Amino acid sequence: MQDILNELEERRAVARLGGGERRIEAQHKRGKLTARERIELLLDEGSFEEFDMFVEHRCSEFGMGETKIPGDGVVTGWGTVNGRTVYLFAKDFTVFGGSLSETHAKKITKIQDMALQNRAPCIGLFDAGGARIQEGVAALGGYGEVFLRNVLASGVIPQISVIMGPCAGGDVYSPAMTDFIFMVKDTSYMFVTGPDVVKTVTNETVSAEELGGASVHTTKSSIADNAYDNDVEALLQMRRFIDFLPSSNLAPVPELPSFDDGERVVASLDTIIPANPNQPYDMKELIGKVVDEGDFFEIQAAFARNIVIGFGRMEGRTVGFTANQPMVLAGVLDSDASRKAARFVRFCDCFSIPLVTFVDVPGFLPGTAQEYGGLIKHGAKLLFAFAEATVPKVTVITRKAYGGAYDVMSSKHIRGDVNYAWPSAEIAVMGPKGAAEILYRSELADAGKIEQRIKDYEDRFANPFVAAERGYIDEVIVPRNTRRRISRALNMLRNKRTENPWKKHDNIPL
Ligand code: HXC
C-alpha cells in the first residue's frame, strides 16, 4: 500500500509542477503567480478540492504525442470564499501557454456544469493564449462548448473572469460572456488577435499594452470592470467582491453582520449640495456616507465617470447603487454612461439585488458625436433596464432631474417603488435658462425680460414640489435622514413580488 501511496504522491508532485521549474520561474519573473498560487490566495485556506489533476491531451500532431503534461494547462475544482462555495478554473500559462485543448476544455466544462447544477458562482482565472494551435478544430470545438455554457449560466449563477496574463482568442471571448471582468495592471492583456497579427493584417505597430492592456480596457473599451496593481491585490479584491454576490438567481442576497445602524443620521448630507446649482459635489462622498461602514465596491470606476455604479450594503444586505456624478460632465447621461449603468442594473435584477439610485442629472448630452454614436439606442438601454427590473427600486433625487433623464433614472413611472427627493431637487423638462429661451424666443434681445422669464421658470419648477403634488415623488425628505429612509424602504420592500408578462426573452435595444 505504501508503494501505491508514494506513487500517487509522486504523480501529484509532477502535476503540481505544471510546465516545470524553468517556466514557473519565468512566470514569477514577469511578476505573475502560478495558477496554484493564485487559487491558494483566492480561496479559504485548505478549502480547495481539485479535479482532473491527471488529465492529459490526446493530440499527436506536431510532436505533441511526446509532450504530455498532467493537468493539461488548467487547474480546476471548487472551494470556499469566506465560507461560501465557488467553482473555479485557473489557466496554467506554464503548460502550453495555458492554451485550450479538447481535454482542457472538458475540464472547464465539467466545472461549469457543476457550478450551474449546484448553483454557485463560477470563477475563471485567465492567463492563456487561446485555442491550442496544434489541435486545430478540436480546440475550437472545445471553446464552443465553453461558450455555450457561459451563455446558459448567464443570469443563473454569477460568472467572474480575472485576466492575469496575456489572453487571446477564446480566452477573451469566454470572459466577454461572463458578468464581470477584472484585470491586473501591466501584466495582463486582452485581444482577439495579438500585436504580431495586427501588424501583418493592418500594418499597425502597437504594443500589447496599447492594444489590450488594463489601461485600455478600463478606460476606452469598457471591457474590463476594474484593474488592480498585481495578482495578490486582484485576488484579495475578488474575495471582497464575491461577498457581495448571491450564489444564484434563486438564492437570497448575502446578509453579513452589520455594525452600522440603519437609522444612522448623517448631518453632513444637509450641506453637501452647494448653494450654486452649477457647482458640483462628489456623489461618491454621498454614497460613502449612506452605505454600511462606507464600504462601496465601485464597478468601472475609470470609465464613463459621469455615472457611478457599484455594490454596497444597507443593514448588511447587498444593494446595487447607480448615481449620476456631478463632478464629471455635470453628471450628464451620454452613450457610455447609459451602457455602463444599463448592464449593471440588469445584473442586479438577474440576481435579486435591490437598486438604489441617486439622481442629479442635467439631461442627455447633446451633439453630433453623441447622436452619430447612437445615443438614442444607448440611452434606451438604461431606460429599458430600469423599466424591466422587478427588484426593489428606491430612488432619491438630490438635485437636477431634467428631461428624459428624469424618466430614465428609475422614476416612479417606470416602477420605482419608493421615490424620494431632497428639498434641493429640480424636476422639469429642462433647466430654467434653456426653457425660457425656447418659450420666449422673441424676448431674447431684451436681457431684463428674459432674466425675469428664467426666474419665473425657476420659481415654478426648480423644486421637488410640482412632482410631489402629483405623487411622482413619494416624499420630500431631509438629506440627513437619507440612510434611514432608504433602509426603511428596503425593509418594507423585502417581500416585493412583481412579474413581467411571460416572454421567451425581451428584445433590449442592443
Ligand atoms: C499552443 C501556445 C499557444 C497556443 C502560446 N503557446 N499560445 N501553444 N497554442 N495558442 C505556447 C508558446 O508556444 C510557448 O511555449 C508558451 O505557450 C508561452 O508563449 P510565448 O509566446 O513564449 O509567451 P508570450 O511572449 O508571453 O506571448 C503570449 C501570447 C502569445 C500573446 C499569448 O503566445 C500568442 O500570441 N499566442 C497565440 C495566440 C493566438 O493567436 N491563439 C489562437 C487564438 S484563436 P514554450 O514551449 O516556448 O513555453 C482562438 C479561437 C477561439 O482562440 C474562438 C474565438 C471566437
Side-chain angles (χ1 to χ4, degrees):
M1 185 64 183
Q2 192 55 46
D3 290 352
I4 304 170
L5 289 177
N6 289 346
E7 189 194 335
L8 172 63
E9 209 30 66
E10 277 166 31
R11 279 175 173 266
R12 281 183 172 172
V14 170
R16 285 193 195 109
L17 261 188
E21 302 277 9
R22 185 177 58 81
R23 289 197 183 85
I24 291 176
E25 207 179 302
Q27 182 85 346
H28 287 159
K29 271 205 179 118
R30 291 178 176 187
K32 300 193 295 178
L33 298 175
T34 65
R36 283 198 161 73
E37 288 164 345
R38 288 168 175 163
I39 290 172
E40 233 168 78
L41 274 172
L42 176 64
L43 297 180
D44 296 339
E45 203 181 335
S47 74
F48 183 48
E49 292 285 333
E50 185 168 350
F51 291 151
D52 296 335
M53 192 185 219
F54 303 118
V55 162
E56 293 177 348
H57 69 75
R58 297 191 195 117
C59 176
S60 54
E61 312 276 356
F62 301 99
M64 287 297 278
E66 288 81 59
T67 51
K68 297 202 173 199
I69 298 175
D72 202 29
V74 63
V75 183
T76 61
W78 65 276
T80 58
V81 173
N82 293 323
R84 289 174 53 219
T85 300
V86 297
Y87 291 81
L88 87 167
F89 57 90
K91 300 280 193 154
D92 184 349
F93 191 77
T94 69
V95 179
F96 311 119
S99 61
L100 179 139
S101 68
E102 187 181 5
T103 46
H104 174 127
K106 282 219 155 64
K107 285 184 68 171
I108 295 177
T109 54
K110 184 192 270 189
I111 290 302
Q112 291 179 299
D113 288 343
M114 292 191 76
L116 183 60
Q117 183 182 309
N118 299 306
R119 298 291 195 267
C122 189
I123 302 159
L125 308 182
F126 288 84
D127 187 355
R132 182 137 344 136
I133 295 165
Q134 296 91 334
E135 289 214 1
V137 71
L140 296 183
Y143 265 125
E145 303 274 344
V146 173
F147 298 156
L148 172 70
R149 283 161 178 80
N150 284 137
V151 173
L152 296 180
S154 181
V156 184
I157 51 170
Q159 299 180 84
I160 302 163
S161 304
V162 194
I163 311 296
M164 312 187 80
C167 291
D171 286 306
V172 296
Y173 266 107
S174 173
M177 282 183 294
T178 62
D179 297 300
F180 295 98
I181 298 179
F182 298 99
M183 294 183 77
V184 180
K185 290 178 194 166
D186 304 322
T187 51
S188 80
Y189 313 101
M190 296 180 78
F191 27 68
V192 177
T193 53
D196 297 344
V197 180
V198 170
K199 176 77 187 155
T200 312
V201 178
T202 69
N203 206 26
E204 260 179 300
T205 305
V206 65
S207 70
E209 181 65 32
E210 288 164 345
L211 185 62
S215 55
V216 169
H217 288 312
T218 53
T219 60
K220 286 192 167 74
S221 73
S222 80
I223 302 290
D225 291 293
N226 276 333
Y228 302 102
D229 286 340
N230 52 52
D231 283 16
V232 177
E233 169 74 2
L235 294 164
L236 294 181
Q237 286 297 326
M238 288 308 99
R239 287 178 61 82
R240 180 177 160 229
F241 180 57
I242 289 160
D243 276 353
F244 284 101
L245 307 182
S247 295
S248 77
N249 62 339
L250 296 177
V253 292
E255 190 161 350
L256 265 60
S258 169
F259 305 99
D260 198 351
D261 188 357
E263 297 281 310
R264 176 167 54 85
V265 166
V266 190
S268 58
L269 287 179
D270 285 351
T271 50
I272 197 168
I273 303 276
N276 177 350
N278 295 322
Q279 214 177 311
Y281 59 94
D282 188 0
M283 190 55 95
K284 285 193 217 175
E285 187 190 334
L286 190 157
I287 295 171
K289 286 172 191 276
V290 170
V291 287
D292 284 2
E293 289 146 31
D295 185 15
F296 180 56
F297 191 100
E298 191 175 355
I299 300 288
Q300 298 216 351
F303 180 77
R305 292 182 303 112
N306 38 331
I307 203 153
V308 177
I309 55 172
F311 299 102
R313 295 187 186 84
M314 295 296 288
E315 296 188 281
R317 291 190 299 274
T318 306
V319 169
F321 288 90
T322 306
N324 311 111
Q325 170 60 290
M327 299 279 280
V328 180
L329 296 171
V332 77
L333 275 181
D334 58 5
S335 295
D336 286 347
S338 304
R339 280 194 301 116
K340 168 179 163 179
R343 183 161 165 78
F344 178 72
V345 166
R346 277 167 68 87
F347 175 83
C348 291
D349 191 47
C350 281
F351 291 102
S352 309
I353 298 172
L355 292 165
V356 170
T357 307
F358 291 112
V359 184
D360 187 347
V361 60
F364 279 102
L365 183 62
T368 50
Q370 286 295 312
E371 297 290 357
Y372 295 173
L375 177 64
I376 297 170
K377 202 166 240 185
H378 296 307
K381 290 182 169 96
L382 184 55
L383 175 55
F384 201 110
F386 269 127
E388 73 174 341
T390 56
V391 287
K393 294 189 278 195
V394 178
T395 306
V396 181
I397 300 174
T398 56
R399 192 166 60 175
K400 296 170 194 167
Y402 283 126
Y406 155 74
D407 278 324
V408 169
M409 293 300 295
S410 200
S411 65
K412 201 82 190 161
H413 320 285
I414 55 172
R415 300 191 294 182
D417 294 298
V418 177
N419 291 60
Y420 289 137
W422 285 6
S424 45
E426 307 166 20
I427 307 169
V429 174
M430 58 174 68
K433 188 165 179 293
E437 285 175 1
I438 287 180
L439 289 178
Y440 305 102
R441 190 168 290 156
S442 57
E443 298 172 11
L444 276 178
D446 186 334
K449 244 186 186 170
I450 204 78
E451 271 310 307
Q452 188 52 47
R453 297 294 194 189
I454 293 170
K455 190 167 179 322
D456 290 348
Y457 197 87
E458 214 170 77
D459 291 346
R460 177 72 187 111
F461 288 122
N463 63 63
F465 299 107
V466 181
E469 281 161 18
R470 289 187 149 68
Y472 297 170
I473 293 298
D474 294 301
E475 176 80 302
V476 180
I477 63 170
V478 178
R480 64 170 57 210
N481 294 332
T482 302
R483 174 174 161 86
R484 181 155 65 102
R485 305 300 288 245
I486 295 174
S487 296
R488 287 182 179 186
L490 290 172
N491 279 325
M492 179 271 283
L493 293 165
R494 269 187 92 161
N495 297 319
K496 179 186 172 185
R497 284 281 167 273
T498 312
E499 280 182 10
N500 292 332
W502 186 90
K503 55 185 91 173
K504 188 170 173 196
H505 57 71
D506 59 41
N507 189 17
I508 187 166
L510 286 175

